Amino acid sequence: MGSEKEFLEKLKELLDIAAVSGNRITTEEVGAFFGDSELSEEQMLLVYDYLLTQKISVVGYMKGQELTEKAEKETAAAYTPEEKEYLEEYRRELSGIRPAEAGERERLFEAAAAGDGLAKSRLTELYLMTVLGIAEQMHTKEVFLGDLVQEGNVSLLLALDLLDGAENAEAFLLDEIRQGMAQMIEEQQEQKRCDRKMEQQVNHLDDTLHQLADEKGRAVTIDELAKYMKMSEEEILDIMKLAGEDLYEKYKKTDDKNPDDTKPEL
């Protein structure tokens, strides 16, 4: 498609469209929106992933499917001791739930779609084990299993309030549960990527400080460091704060006392 700026503007417009629909959009709607942009399949998947990070539910996109296939190849040994303990205790709690009778789910879905609170409560009870099963399938090391289950349960409750108009109530319910979990996993993975980037920035700053100090044979000023790294002093300060409060406070206190043309040494 056109320039990167145009693409970012279209993404913003897409977010606005999804917001009007309650932060929900279908893959068909996304495809139609980018219909004249000739995006590749890989680019469309990236768009879906981006929407997930913005807390937009993409109906029809099974981000969790890739995670499921990967998780199914792993054994229970992938769980931490805390997760194994949680899993055992949670299964024990759910074992007391009365199984559904023949035709009960269909009746409950119909009543829940009409707003019956008791029907929603019973459906919640019946699908707690299903949520657990999906969480086990989608389990990934970035998210504690219990947190994934909790997110799935929240998605279950929210989906039960949106049943009216769903063509296939159960399929809709399961899709919403997976979407909720997939969003949580995506957010956690993005957070870890940000953490790694910040760690790299801190290490780069530290290496540069030592390199410049060795070259000049003296302590380095913040002004010299900013020019060398081609960054603003504010950006340097932000990285210092990540490196530790001691270095950050040392700079701030010294900088506040100095005239504008005198920079603190590091």
Side-chain angles (χ1 to χ4, degrees):
M1 62 180 303
S3 67
E4 180 179 353
K5 181 179 179 181
E6 292 176 345
F7 181 65
L8 292 176
E9 289 177 349
K10 286 187 73 70
L11 280 180
K12 185 179 183 302
E13 184 180 347
L14 186 61
L15 289 176
D16 293 337
I17 292 173
V20 174
S21 301
N23 290 332
R24 290 166 49 80
I25 196 167
T26 67
T27 53
E28 290 80 7
E29 290 172 326
V30 176
F33 180 79
F34 285 106
D36 59 348
S37 301
E38 298 183 353
L39 295 184
S40 67
E41 181 178 352
E42 182 179 355
Q43 289 173 321
M44 289 299 295
L45 293 178
L46 291 175
V47 171
Y48 298 150
D49 289 345
Y50 170 76
L51 291 172
L52 288 179
T53 65
Q54 301 303 305
K55 301 185 183 300
I56 303 298
S57 178
V58 185
V59 179
Y61 174 51
M62 302 303 292
K63 168 71 176 177
Q65 186 60 40
E66 298 173 10
L67 300 170
T68 297
E69 292 173 354
K70 177 182 177 181
E72 286 176 344
K73 298 177 182 178
E74 300 175 351
T75 65
Y79 293 134
T80 65
E82 293 78 9
E83 287 176 322
K84 291 179 181 178
E85 182 179 352
Y86 167 84
L87 189 56
E88 182 179 350
E89 176 63 25
Y90 196 65
R91 280 176 174 165
R92 185 163 46 247
E93 292 177 4
L94 297 185
S95 64
I97 295 177
R98 175 173 57 84
E101 300 174 357
E104 183 181 7
R105 291 177 191 260
E106 290 76 8
R107 294 192 298 272
L108 289 171
F109 275 122
E110 184 176 351
D116 189 321
L118 291 178
K120 292 179 183 179
S121 178
R122 175 59 174 157
L123 281 171
T124 299
E125 188 178 63
L126 290 176
Y127 278 89
L128 289 178
M129 185 62 80
T130 301
V131 170
L132 178 60
I134 294 174
E136 288 184 86
Q137 291 176 344
M138 296 181 65
H139 174 255
T140 179
K141 63 182 180 180
E142 283 84 3
V143 184
F144 178 67
L145 180 63
D147 292 338
L148 202 57
V149 171
Q150 183 177 15
E151 183 65 29
N153 288 339
V154 171
S155 297
L156 168 63
L157 293 173
L158 293 175
L160 287 172
D161 286 332
L162 300 171
L163 288 177
D164 187 23
E167 293 183 7
N168 186 322
E170 184 174 48
F172 170 77
L173 207 65
L174 297 179
D175 184 62
E176 290 296 297
I177 292 169
R178 292 190 181 97
Q179 286 287 337
M181 293 185 187
Q183 282 186 325
M184 169 172 270
I185 292 171
E186 183 70 21
E187 289 167 5
Q188 291 296 322
Q189 290 175 336
E190 178 63 25
Q191 182 60 52
K192 285 188 177 294
R193 285 192 288 268
C194 290
D195 291 343
R196 285 194 295 270
K197 182 177 180 180
M198 287 189 291
E199 183 180 356
Q200 291 171 352
Q201 289 178 325
V202 169
N203 291 336
H204 181 47
L205 174 64
D206 185 62
D207 291 342
T208 304
L209 275 171
H210 286 87
Q211 178 185 340
L212 285 179
D214 289 342
E215 290 177 358
K216 296 178 179 297
R218 60 171 173 78
V220 182
T221 66
I222 188 67
D223 182 53
E224 290 172 328
L225 184 63
K227 289 179 180 178
Y228 184 85
M229 297 184 71
K230 297 180 180 179
M231 300 172 67
S232 69
E233 294 182 18
E234 290 74 16
E235 290 173 320
I236 296 292
L237 180 60
D238 288 339
I239 298 176
M240 285 181 180
K241 194 168 185 179
L242 294 174
E245 288 295 328
D246 290 342
L247 181 61
Y248 171 74
E249 290 299 331
K250 175 184 176 182
Y251 166 66
K252 283 297 292 178
K253 289 178 181 177
T254 309
D255 193 42
D256 291 341
K257 295 177 182 178
N258 284 353
D260 291 340
D261 60 345
T262 304
K263 301 301 180 182
E265 293 183 342
L266 303 173

